[in-house]
Amino acid sequence: MEFGFSADQEQLRAQVRRFLDAECPLERVRTIMTSREPHDTGLWKKMAELGWQALVIPQQYGGLGLAWEDLVVLAEQAGMSLLPSPLLADAAAARALCAMGSEEQKERWLPSIASGETIATLAVLEESDDLSENGVTLEAASSPGGVTLGGRKMFVPWGQAADLFLVAAREGAGVSLFAVPAGSAGITVTPLKLVDATIRAAEVVFDGVVVQDSSRLGEKGRAWPALSRVLDAATVTLAAEMVGAADAALRLATEYAKVRKQFGQPIGRFQGVKHRLAEILVDVESSRSLVYYASWAVDHLEDARAQVSMAKAYASIALDRAGEDGIQIHGAVGFTWECNAHLYYKRGRVCRSIDGTPEYHHERLLACQGL
Amino acid sequence: MDFSFSEREEAFRREVREFLAASNPNTGAEGGEDIESAMDRLPKLLAWNQALHEKGWVGFSWPKDVGGGGGGLIEQMILKQECGSARAPMLGLSYMGLAWVGPGIVKYGSDEQKKRFIPPILKAEEHWCTGYSEPGSGSDLASLQCKAVRDGDHYVITGQKIWTSLAMWAQWMILLVRTDSSSTKHHGITCVLVPMNSPGIEVKPIRTMNGETPFAEVFFNDVRVPVANRLGAEGQGWEVTKHALANERSSIAEVTAMVHALEDLKGLAARCSRGGRRAIEDPFVRQRLARMETMIEAMRLTGLRFLTRQLRGEEVGAETSVNKLLRAELEVEIGRLSLEIEGRYGGLAKGSAAVVDGGRWQHQMLSWPAYVIGGGTPNIQKNVIAERLLGLPHD
Ligand SMILES: Cc1cc2nc3c(=O)[nH]c(=O)nc-3n(C[C@H](O)[C@H](O)[C@H](O)COP(=O)(O)OP(=O)(O)OC[C@H]3O[C@@H](n4cnc5c(N)ncnc54)[C@H](O)[C@@H]3O)c2cc1C
């Protein structure tokens, strides 16, 4: 029994930290977040040189063959820096290809994802915001050329930057998953404007998009169980980012509390302030434990839903509070555009409902137990 | 990360399971038990202690040469886990003796002290109480005033202690006294081991809001204690105490009691009706049960992270306040939620007709302060976290 990171993982953490401090400080995040480009290609290339896009892709497809818990090491650091990048959406799509793709499909896509040449993303959720299999209504109809996709996907993570969509579609009674290049005829991508501008999402319309049968991952109408496990893994990296962001919000407010003086002393001496900070730390450490364990669980347990739900629920609550209180502890300064506190707050408000709210996950946790 | 156990550890788990299948007294009294009924079960519990002791499982991780089990931290966790899931009684009955007095004596005690005190703790032949708090010194423990003056090879002790758990039943007290009043707060404090039948000790039980008398005021009127009963050096009492309390908090992966309470709460919610439907169908109840489960799991996992750090030889200190705070929150929430699930029945007192589960939840609702206040209040835990982990200025 060992619940801690290995020396290699600690090294990865340090490497990621160094890179993000140098290449993506918050000033840079602010520039990227107001840019009209779909994503920052310069940053993307540099990350590819370090092998980040290749992290969880098996070695035979040009990847590094690491585990999801290694990616979580990265995700937590990314969250601390509010890294604005399709990196984790891309990793989730790669995981779907690994889990569900044929040998041919893997050879076709994984090496170029690993090198950073192709950016992939999952297109699952629709207007109904229903995370269950029922939520997938985009239609896949057999046609002479193969399959025709028709419908609309919402909140496609980094859809505007993607070269490849893995699209969940209703096919017969079940759900299938198709690998569809973003440039295919009939696809329209409209960026959504999020409250948190450090992450991106798009609305993607599929209007009579014709794809080959060979672009279907796995069996017809049987994709959901595997896909839902992939979504769980994606939920864990999201939660890890949120823990990182909550920790960064905590550090920012703590540093401020040490230097800001009122009534002749640092405000961090007042318990109204210091106790709130201590409570945030309790939330950060608690959700961190849950996230780390869930990251192990998605690779090692048959069914990791309960672990994932607990991790996401607690991480959401932790970041929400850290974001809100982080602003309050800064006083009026915290309300200004220049103060970074609002960046964490916005991340929390938006991510809370991505991949399921705490309330959704609480329900799911009990449902897993037959309650 | 690796959550598997070695072959040796698995074998140990099997051994524990077999032992439990044969010897678990399963007295069934968990949660909501008052002291009187615990006393009724005493003979069975002593037999249990004896059986555990023969296995070397009382004082499991203490060194062999003092009579402990010489076991490792992981096996200790397995032992606790298995006993927990079998709902067996505590591992050893001399609660304070095992939690901090024993470890304190192992670390700071003389050879004679180890020989004299450790075996009766392991065999549950002697029970201990803890004389730290005073009327004027609770959270600010280092301000304590109870004093000891040297007279030949004795200390003469005068003063008062309060909130001394189990003082009426204990044979011994681990006592903090001021031996040097000129010295700054922490320095003039000394730790002494005091027989509770010493002339001049007076014990006055205190009744709590649940109607029980779990602790007492203890008065010292010129009580003479041999200097040989001093634990550690004169003036070293604060260090001894810090070590002892760190030990208390290092039972960090221990969430069994809360896991059981949650299981039972779910059962309660499935049985009780609330506004015409079963409480378990009420989203408000469901959300809170799930949140509780999430917090308990977080505690368990954080405990395992700390345990891993200990196994790697790293220190774990103020971090344990994280779980202590969660525990405090959960204890209150269990009391609150259980009565809400019961609805109108939640207002019935223990002993009333129609009271649910024999009044166990009402007892919890009236007992949480023991966990929240005892051993340091949440405010104090937050100070510890803020000052030691976040580096914020002292109060
Ligand atoms: C069930 C139970 C068993 C106990 N058993 C024992 C025992 O066996 N032996 C023993 O020695 N003691 C025992 N105690 C005593 C316990 O350790 C003290 O009650 C505790 O440390 C708090 O001290 P106090 O009660 O004097 O409260 P106080 O210190 O007077 O605190 C009152 C309130 O003020 C707050 N407060 C105090 N100082 C600060 C501060 N600096 N910042 C913010 N808030 C502050 C506290 O959080 C609390 O809310 C027991 C207590 C209980 C409830």
Side-chain angles (χ1 to χ4, degrees):
Chain A
M1 204 284 318
E2 169 150 71
F3 189 9
F5 290 106
S6 66
D8 285 349
Q9 288 167 324
E10 290 300 343
Q11 217 176 334
L12 172 67
R13 186 200 305 279
Q15 181 216 55
V16 173
R17 188 72 263 138
R18 270 197 309 276
F19 176 85
L20 291 175
D21 284 344
E23 301 290 339
C24 195
L26 286 177
E27 307 87 77
R28 182 83 188 276
V29 171
R30 283 172 173 268
T31 315
I32 298 172
M33 108 192 166
T34 48
S35 144
R36 300 175 78 91
E37 297 299 315
H39 79 123
D40 190 288
T41 49
L43 207 52
W44 187 256
K45 286 203 182 96
K46 284 184 181 160
M47 294 191 294
E49 280 162 23
L50 293 171
W52 290 5
Q53 288 89 332
L55 217 62
V56 291
I57 294 176
Q59 286 172 345
Q60 77 234 56
Y61 307 110
L64 298 173
L66 298 184
W68 208 248
E69 72 188 57
D70 297 289
L71 187 64
V72 152
V73 169
L74 197 163
E76 188 183 353
Q77 298 303 314
M80 278 180 194
S81 293
L82 298 171
L83 173 69
S85 168
L87 191 68
L88 297 172
D90 189 56
R95 187 172 172 106
L97 275 160
C98 292
M100 303 162 75
S102 65
E103 199 49 41
E104 221 178 333
Q105 286 162 337
K106 290 185 203 174
E107 266 161 24
R108 161 89 181 77
W109 294 112
L110 288 176
S112 83
I113 294 175
S115 68
E117 198 182 316
T118 295
I119 298 178
T121 191
L122 291 165
V124 180
L125 206 62
E126 301 183 7
E127 207 174 5
S128 63
D129 195 18
D130 178 353
L131 297 168
S132 77
E133 183 169 13
N134 293 335
V136 178
T137 67
L138 183 141
E139 202 184 352
S142 316
S143 63
V147 179
T148 303
L149 302 176
R152 186 156 68 121
K153 290 293 177 184
M154 288 300 290
F155 307 111
V156 177
W158 295 87
Q160 50 270 69
D163 306 298
L164 177 71
F165 295 115
L166 298 185
V167 188
R170 179 137 313 262
E171 197 171 34
V175 166
S176 301
L177 190 67
F178 296 92
V180 187
S184 309
I187 293 184
T188 319
V189 178
T190 310
L192 298 168
K193 196 169 172 197
L194 296 177
V195 173
D196 171 17
T198 66
I199 53 175
R200 300 224 162 133
E203 172 189 318
V204 183
V205 174
F206 295 80
D207 184 7
V209 177
V210 179
V211 295
Q212 305 285 312
D213 263 317
S214 61
S215 63
R216 187 188 295 105
L217 276 65
E219 280 177 61
K220 192 170 176 172
R222 295 271 181 84
W224 189 257
L227 180 58
S228 107
R229 280 195 291 274
V230 170
L231 294 174
D232 272 344
T235 306
V236 175
T237 49
L238 176 71
E241 277 193 294
M242 295 172 81
V243 168
D247 199 344
L250 168 63
R251 304 295 151 184
L252 186 71
T254 303
E255 287 320 303
Y256 188 74
K258 286 177 190 170
V259 296
R260 171 68 177 169
K261 286 204 171 116
Q262 287 294 289
F263 304 98
Q265 45 190 322
I267 57 168
R269 180 168 282 136
F270 302 119
Q271 290 187 345
V273 173
K274 79 203 284 187
H275 283 191
R276 269 319 281 135
L277 291 166
E279 285 160 19
I280 297 171
L281 184 136
V282 170
D283 280 345
V284 168
E285 287 305 330
S286 301
S287 53
R288 179 172 272 149
S289 300
L290 290 164
V291 164
Y292 289 171
Y293 185 60
S295 76
W296 177 88
V298 293
D299 276 346
H300 292 88
L301 299 185
E302 190 66 29
D303 178 1
R305 281 177 304 159
Q307 285 72 26
V308 172
S309 279
M310 287 194 263
K312 176 59 166 64
Y314 206 142
S316 299
I317 292 169
L319 179 53
D320 248 1
R321 290 183 185 164
E324 286 168 10
D325 290 345
I327 291 174
Q328 284 198 45
I329 287 169
H330 281 84
V333 165
F335 189 42
T336 62
W337 182 259
E338 285 72 24
C339 176
N340 288 324
H342 70 93
L343 300 179
Y344 305 107
Y345 170 65
K346 289 172 177 169
R347 182 61 82 92
R349 285 276 97 199
V350 171
C351 288
R352 148 181 235 290
S353 60
I354 298 180
D355 294 340
T357 59
E359 294 75 27
Y360 166 84
H361 283 290
H362 286 161
E363 266 301 328
R364 194 174 83 148
L365 174 64
L366 293 194
C368 286
Q369 302 164 353
L371 289 176
Chain B
M1 283 178 223
D2 176 8
F3 292 90
S4 61
F5 293 93
S6 73
E7 194 32 59
R8 225 190 59 213
E9 289 156 357
E10 288 298 353
F12 180 70
R13 190 187 294 280
R14 282 193 298 276
E15 184 188 347
V16 176
R17 280 194 189 156
E18 277 159 30
F19 170 80
L20 283 169
S23 322
N24 184 1
N26 231 342
T27 48
E30 203 198 359
E33 181 183 47
D34 50 37
I35 288 176
E36 286 73 21
S37 48
M39 287 296 164
D40 289 345
R41 297 189 298 126
L42 206 57
K44 266 185 160 180
L45 291 173
L46 284 171
W48 159 251
N49 192 94
Q50 177 62 22
L52 284 173
H53 179 56
E54 280 160 17
K55 282 271 183 197
W57 291 350
V58 186
F60 183 84
S61 62
W62 300 3
K64 273 214 157 89
D65 59 9
V66 302
L73 286 172
I74 293 201
E75 275 110 335
Q76 175 169 274
M77 181 186 75
I78 292 174
L79 181 59
K80 285 186 183 171
Q81 273 178 353
E82 291 302 322
C83 289
S85 12
R87 298 204 180 209
M90 285 195 306
L91 276 170
L93 297 187
S94 174
Y95 170 63
M96 284 176 253
L98 290 166
W100 56 80
V101 178
I105 293 175
V106 168
K107 183 159 164 94
Y108 294 97
S110 64
D111 285 344
E112 292 82 71
Q113 286 173 337
K114 288 180 200 166
K115 243 183 253 146
R116 166 65 189 83
F117 293 114
I118 300 289
I121 288 177
L122 296 174
K123 292 187 201 144
E125 288 166 354
E126 283 178 350
H127 296 271
W128 286 77
C129 63
T130 306
Y132 293 167
S133 306
E134 297 179 12
S137 305
S139 301
D140 184 15
L141 180 56
S143 68
L144 64 88
Q145 295 300 317
C146 181
K147 100 184 157 191
V149 179
R150 191 78 179 249
D151 177 19
D153 51 7
H154 280 76
Y155 283 114
V156 180
I157 300 169
T158 37
Q160 185 195 342
K161 293 287 166 177
I162 195 169
W163 319 125
T164 316
S165 294
L166 306 182
M168 315 68 123
W169 292 286
Q171 287 81 30
W172 287 88
M173 175 187 270
I174 184 165
L175 173 72
L176 283 184
V177 286
R178 187 161 294 286
T179 38
D180 179 0
S181 48
S182 66
S183 172
T184 49
K185 271 178 145 188
H186 298 73
H187 292 107
I189 295 175
T190 299
C191 182
V192 227
L193 310 175
V194 183
M196 286 301 281
N197 62 4
S198 310
I201 292 188
E202 191 191 346
V203 177
K204 280 194 189 158
I206 303 172
R207 191 161 185 226
T208 66
M209 74 186 201
N210 64 22
E212 295 176 13
T213 50
F215 49 34
E217 289 181 285
V218 182
F219 299 88
F220 295 84
N221 307 304
D222 295 329
V223 176
R224 294 179 70 84
V225 181
V227 171
N229 282 25
R230 192 181 64 211
L231 184 59
E234 191 166 296
Q236 202 189 9
W238 191 253
E239 193 188 319
V240 174
T241 306
K242 261 185 23 192
H243 174 263
L245 293 180
N247 245 296
E248 183 206 1
R249 290 182 194 144
S250 76
S251 51
I252 39 193
E254 254 315 273
V255 293
T256 320
M258 265 160 301
V259 169
H260 289 168
L262 177 65
E263 275 171 19
D264 295 349
L265 266 185
K266 286 178 184 168
L268 184 71
R271 278 182 279 131
C272 289
S273 116
R274 188 181 148 94
R277 60 176 168 181
R278 291 183 312 141
I280 192 70
E281 289 162 17
D282 182 334
F284 179 70
V285 170
R286 295 174 69 79
Q287 286 293 322
R288 288 169 69 183
L289 286 172
R291 172 68 178 157
M292 200 184 278
E293 179 151 1
T294 303
M295 286 167 67
I296 295 171
E297 178 70 352
M299 278 182 72
R300 183 181 77 84
L301 294 170
T302 301
L304 291 184
R305 274 170 67 208
F306 293 155
L307 180 68
T308 298
R309 280 172 49 187
Q310 287 178 324
L311 288 168
R312 291 177 178 180
E314 293 166 35
E315 281 282 320
V316 177
E319 292 91 336
T320 57
S321 290
V322 168
N323 274 355
K324 194 148 195 314
L325 276 166
L326 283 190
R327 168 97 194 248
E329 218 175 308
L330 282 162
E331 290 287 351
V332 182
E333 174 68 356
I334 294 168
R336 244 193 246 132
L337 182 56
S338 59
L339 293 212
E340 278 172 38
I341 289 172
E342 290 181 23
R344 192 68 201 271
Y345 292 85
L348 295 177
K350 199 167 176 167
S352 161
V355 71
V356 179
D357 289 349
R360 157 183 179 185
W361 303 105
Q362 283 74 5
H363 186 271
Q364 165 74 20
M365 189 273 280
L366 298 174
S367 303
W368 57 262
Y371 303 97
V372 176
I373 299 169
T377 65
N379 281 349
I380 296 302
Q381 306 298 330
K382 286 176 199 172
N383 279 356
V384 166
I385 289 177
E387 289 161 14
R388 300 211 209 132
L389 301 182
L390 292 172
L392 289 164
H394 280 266
D395 256 15

